[in-house]
Amino acid sequence: MEQDRWPVLRMKVIRKRLAEGARGARGTVVVIDVFRAFSCTPLFFYFGASKVMLEADPLRAVELKRFHPDAVLVGEVDEVPIEGGDMGNSPSRIIAEGARRFEGRTVIHRTTAGVTGVSLAAASADEVILGSFVTASAIAEYLKGLQLGEVTLVAMGDRALRPAPEDEACADYLEHLLNGTPYDPVKVFREVVFQPTAQKFLTRSRPYLPPEDPLFCLQRDLFDAVPIVARDGDRLVVRPPGC
């Protein structure tokens, strides 16, 4: 007798984008910012940070730094490093600074697209996860383990105002990992690297957009930990793996 064949259960993947998509997102939500916010987050913990505090308002981020002078303020406003901060939102700069800058310290993180999107999504979502290529497989395995009926992927785009190919490609990759939908890495390379959101780094025209950043941000599956947002009083925080 032929063995019964059970259908493969597929997770419903809801695709949203930009600030409008983050606002009102419900259930389990992955907020994606490849260039560069959530490619930076796992680096903070790799270099020993004790906690990441997410603050969408740049003025409040600077005020937090005043109240917590030992914290490291990493942030930008429309890509320009925050005045009064310690560094811009650059993974290559984070790597250059390493553990001597981050070990045992709290990071205050502010970005125009990613962190702002998390702030919007957290108001209505049950759970918010920080999405990027560097943690994609870990995120997909975590979501599969939850046995969810659906998940929402929010591609935050360029300044949360315009779609960005790298964020859409990361959403495609996550959907591929979750449900086996087609994913062509060569096509992604063509559609991402030759477009303005990547090329602005490669021209070397602005020192706060180093060309090394997209090289790191487009690496897949570098980290096993899933960056999950939690509430700590009125703050949104991410804690190290296992905490």
Side-chain angles (χ1 to χ4, degrees), residues 9 32 55 68 73 83-85 87 142 159 194 198 206 225:
L9 296 178
I32 300 169
E55 177 51 66
H68 303 278
L73 175 51
E83 185 174 352
M87 67 177 69
Y142 172 76
R159 301 183 182 178
F194 295 102
R206 285 165 280 187

Side-chain angles (χ1 to χ4, degrees), residues 68-193:
H68 303 278
D70 290 336
V72 184
L73 175 51
V74 178
E76 48 82 15
V77 177
D78 293 340
E79 300 163 355
V80 179
I82 292 178
E83 185 174 352
D86 294 294
M87 67 177 69
N89 184 49
S90 167
S92 60
R93 175 74 187 281
I94 292 166
I95 292 169
E97 294 281 331
R100 64 189 176 89
R101 170 72 80 167
F102 294 100
E103 189 167 10
R105 301 177 72 181
T106 293
V107 175
I108 303 165
H109 199 195
R110 191 279 163 186
T111 72
T112 300
V115 174
T116 299
V118 167
S119 180
L120 294 171
S124 54
D126 296 328
E127 182 172 58
V128 178
I129 299 166
L130 311 184
S132 65
F133 275 113
V134 298
T135 55
S137 283
I139 291 170
E141 289 304 309
Y142 172 76
L143 294 173
K144 289 177 183 178
L146 295 178
Q147 298 184 326
L148 299 169
E150 66 180 38
V151 64
T152 298
L153 309 180
V154 183
M156 287 310 302
D158 184 15
R159 301 183 182 178
L161 298 173
R162 298 169 292 275
E166 67 276 4
D167 291 347
E168 298 295 336
C170 185
D172 290 342
Y173 185 50
L174 282 167
E175 194 165 357
H176 163 73
L177 294 171
L178 290 170
N179 286 332
T181 52
Y183 181 81
D184 183 343
V186 176
K187 179 173 179 285
V188 167
F189 182 90
R190 182 177 66 245
E191 293 180 350
V192 172
V193 173

Side-chain angles (χ1 to χ4, degrees), residues 15-19 30-33 153-157 163-164 167-168 171:
R15 298 282 293 264
K16 294 180 178 288
R17 55 185 53 85
L18 312 180
V30 182
V31 177
I32 300 169
D33 187 343
L153 309 180
V154 183
M156 287 310 302
D167 291 347
E168 298 295 336

